[in-house]
Amino acid sequence: MLVGSGFPHRGDTRPDLDASDQIGAATLRRAGYNVLTWDPRGLGGSGGTVMFDSADHEARDVASLIDFVARQPEALLDAAGDPRVGMSGRSYGAGIQLVSAAIDPRIDAIVPDLAWHSLVTSFFKDGAVKAGWLTLVCGGGEVAALTGGLFFTPGGLQLGGTATEMKRACLEAIAGGAISAASRRWIADRGPGDLVDRIRAPTLIVQGTVDPLFSLDEAIANYERLRSNGVPVKMVWYCGGHGACPTPVREPRRVARAALAWLDRWLKRSGAIDTGPAFEWIADDGIWRAAPDFPLAPAGALAGVGAGKLSILPLAGVDARLIAPPVPTRRAADVRFSAARVAGDVVGAPRVKLTYHGTAVPARTLLYAQVVDAVHGRVAGAQVTPLPVVLDGRTRTVERPLETLALRVGPASDLRLQITAGTTVYGPQRSLGNVRLRSIEASLPLVDGARAGRASNAGAGLRTPRRLRISPSSRRVRGRSRIVLRSRLRTRPCSGTVGFTIRAGSTRRTARATIAPTCAVRAVVRLRAPAGRTARIAARFEGNQQLAPRRARSV
């Protein structure tokens, strides 16, 4: 197991390292894994320049680490130069897993915790700037690179630093409130983005529900790509992230158990391991729930309608905090959502539609939307979504999905949408003016927590069979008959089971076969039927990891 470090830290080699909500060296070693950590380039004892998990730099470094592992006597080799290797790690140590798995097929499984899909949408959503977080990234990286190179280098002085392109982007964003097209391209190239389409390693995505830096939407984007490409994938949302969990959590080791099950299934290749449903999450009540896939089936919505007006003042939202608090009603347009009649789940992206007019200099600016839990006095999920507006005196409309939330609601809930002119997560506000929100329409998506909201075709590329070969070749059965069914899946890796159903007249028999690591399937069905009856045979793919039952296919 290669365990990556968070930014701007060095690799932690303490053998007892562990945490309640993740897998550390201690857990991995007890489970029988060898563990390798490292100082990413430009950090700790490594020299060079921090390139922010670039496919051409940090991912190549990981490839060199895998070359090193392949030469170690304790390494299990799948082929010459190809060790059985997985990756885990949080934040910066999660992003490198996705980029590395995209360029190096020797990586057999990954467990990215708090990764991103795009640093552009993470730091500059809709043109807004997470100024405080950028300051930490650029400033913290420089300090860590300097101190690490001076004090943590067994091989002598090694000085690193932050890439010039990233420092330029930070300066543009913090000083001017926007980044240039060249900076945007450079940051987008930090991945993983479209590189996710090249990943074939089974992936357990772990993301925090209270993370103002890398929101749940980043995890969902990666999950959707992997799922559509037929890669074995599972997603777990836990209470945490780059923000503090506000509620007590039941089963604090559930994430670690899920990660170990995933690694045992795909690294130890134990076909008997059940990695559970494709989607597990924890809401703000601290209780774990599970579903066969994501997104979940819709079950209505909680609606809110209102209006309001805001004064827009320069520097609004300036604050040392990086987590947004609820805003006093005198400084926000506040809309109350309808109450839930019974207990239910909000899992997904709220939506908001604003019809507005106003004037400001400059006219193009940003408002911000957040869902507030008035009972507990906190912003749900610590999430704030920018809303780009043009205040030139004309009546305009803006409609957006907000950042995804995971909430438990009931008759006693009091959830409100706040529209503000500034926030501590983004900013500061750079316009002066006012806006009248003539209409605010908002909705929170209620879901059926037991059902997926679409046909379950996760891993379809893995499960699509070639033509089933049936012996005897004739489908005519007579008396006691023995029917052998064989198939081979098109792509690897393979897992799960295939269920067969055979009908001949009123006779019905079923069988189930495990998909072999070679992707072969074989099942034997015995039945008695009147002479000359035609056997009707159907197959469906079932169970294991995220592969939910598929519609029967007649053959």
Side-chain angles (χ1 to χ4, degrees):
M1 284 296 297
L2 305 185
V3 181
S5 61
F7 187 85
H9 306 296
R10 56 198 300 262
D12 199 323
T13 57
R14 290 174 294 172
D16 60 344
L17 176 66
D18 235 338
S20 62
D21 59 354
Q22 67 177 124
I23 52 171
T27 296
L28 290 169
R29 293 173 72 231
R30 285 194 299 268
Y33 293 98
N34 299 304
V35 178
L36 174 67
T37 64
W38 71 100
D39 294 355
R41 66 166 58 204
L43 299 173
S46 292
T49 302
V50 181
M51 300 299 289
F52 295 92
D53 286 348
S54 163
D56 296 325
H57 298 87
E58 283 87 353
R60 298 296 177 190
D61 297 340
V62 170
S64 295
L65 292 175
I66 296 174
D67 293 340
F68 167 79
V69 170
R71 297 191 296 269
Q72 306 312 305
E74 60 265 49
L76 172 64
L77 299 181
D78 292 326
D82 182 5
R84 185 81 58 80
V85 62
M87 296 184 71
S88 68
R90 175 173 283 191
S91 192
Y92 196 69
I96 190 58
Q97 297 177 53
L98 296 165
V99 177
S100 296
I103 72 165
D104 197 327
R106 295 177 298 174
I107 297 172
D108 296 284
I110 58 176
V111 185
D113 181 357
L114 306 181
W116 61 89
H117 178 73
S118 168
L119 290 179
V120 173
T121 54
S122 295
F123 283 100
F124 308 103
K125 192 178 185 75
D126 269 321
V129 175
K130 290 181 180 174
W133 290 102
L134 278 175
T135 301
L136 289 180
V137 166
C138 287
E142 286 291 285
V143 172
L146 176 63
T147 57
L150 288 173
F151 300 110
F152 300 123
T153 309
L157 181 65
Q158 296 283 336
L159 295 183
T162 301
T164 301
E165 295 86 349
M166 190 65 179
K167 288 190 285 188
R168 181 184 301 118
C170 286
L171 182 61
E172 292 171 349
I174 295 170
I179 56 174
S180 65
S183 292
R184 180 177 292 272
R185 287 192 298 271
W186 189 88
I187 291 172
D189 193 46
R190 302 307 94 184
D194 291 341
L195 286 175
V196 175
D197 288 332
R198 296 167 54 181
I199 295 174
R200 292 297 176 265
T203 303
L204 172 62
I205 295 173
V206 182
Q207 206 77 8
T209 60
V210 190
D211 195 328
L213 180 55
F214 299 139
S215 70
L216 295 172
D217 285 350
E218 300 296 314
I220 292 169
N222 290 327
Y223 178 85
E224 295 278 2
R225 290 285 191 99
L226 293 167
R227 182 186 186 280
S228 65
N229 290 330
V231 178
V233 60
K234 175 184 173 81
M235 184 164 62
V236 177
W237 297 351
Y238 68 98
C239 186
H242 294 88
C245 177
T247 57
V249 175
R250 302 183 189 179
E251 302 179 75
R253 293 290 291 171
R254 182 155 176 163
V255 174
R257 290 197 300 270
L260 285 179
W262 192 260
L263 295 172
D264 288 349
R265 170 65 186 90
W266 296 109
L267 285 188
K268 294 183 179 178
R269 297 185 182 172
S270 175
I273 295 293
D274 181 6
T275 58
F279 178 46
E280 297 183 59
W281 82 97
I282 193 167
D284 56 346
D285 59 355
I287 297 175
W288 283 95
R289 296 174 175 86
D293 196 8
F294 182 91
L296 304 180
L302 303 180
V305 178
K309 59 182 179 179
L310 296 171
S311 296
I312 298 174
L313 301 174
L315 302 182
V318 173
D319 195 305
R321 293 171 293 180
L322 299 175
I323 307 295
V327 176
T329 55
R330 68 180 183 277
R331 290 168 36 206
D334 197 281
V335 176
R336 177 176 290 178
F337 288 99
S338 57
R341 296 181 180 179
V342 296
D345 295 298
V346 171
V347 180
R351 292 196 67 86
V352 62
K353 180 180 179 180
L354 300 182
T355 300
Y356 66 91
H357 72 270
T359 57
V361 181
R364 293 185 179 275
T365 187
L366 293 154
L367 303 179
Y368 301 91
Q370 60 189 26
V371 176
V372 171
D373 179 351
V375 173
H376 297 98
R378 58 179 179 244
V379 173
Q383 296 302 313
V384 181
T385 306
L387 303 172
V389 295
V390 180
L391 301 178
D392 57 0
R394 297 171 55 188
T395 298
R396 297 176 180 271
T397 298
V398 60
E399 185 172 5
R400 283 288 192 280
L402 306 185
E403 298 283 9
T404 295
L405 301 174
L407 307 174
R408 186 68 173 173
V409 296
S413 300
D414 184 0
L415 297 175
R416 306 182 182 198
L417 175 72
Q418 286 191 335
I419 306 295
T420 71
T423 175
T424 57
V425 174
Y426 292 93
Q429 175 62 254
R430 297 176 184 273
S431 290
L432 173 64
N434 60 79
V435 59
R436 178 174 294 275
L437 306 173
R438 297 176 58 182
S439 172
I440 305 172
E441 302 173 38
S443 63
L444 292 172
L446 292 172
V447 298
D448 183 341
R451 295 191 301 116
R454 58 184 169 187
S456 182
N457 61 355
L462 300 178
R463 301 179 301 175
T464 303
R466 300 179 180 189
R467 183 179 300 276
L468 285 167
R469 298 187 298 276
I470 303 169
S471 176
S473 59
S474 171
R475 294 186 183 178
R476 294 286 177 177
V477 294
R478 181 175 302 166
R480 293 180 181 274
S481 297
R482 178 176 181 269
I483 299 179
V484 180
L485 305 105
R486 296 184 180 88
S487 181
R488 185 176 295 276
L489 305 187
R490 288 177 178 167
T491 57
R492 299 168 183 255
C494 300
S495 71
T497 57
V498 180
F500 295 97
T501 301
I502 298 181
R503 290 184 175 87
S506 60
T507 303
R508 178 179 181 273
R509 290 290 183 271
T510 60
R512 184 170 284 106
T514 300
I515 302 172
T518 60
C519 299
V521 180
R522 182 180 183 275
V524 177
V525 181
R526 292 178 173 84
L527 57 80
R528 176 193 290 271
R533 297 309 298 263
T534 299
R536 301 181 63 83
I537 304 169
R540 67 173 183 165
F541 294 81
E542 304 173 333
N544 213 353
Q545 89 268 4
Q546 70 291 341
L547 304 186
R550 185 184 181 189
R551 185 178 59 204
R553 173 177 175 176
S554 297
V555 295

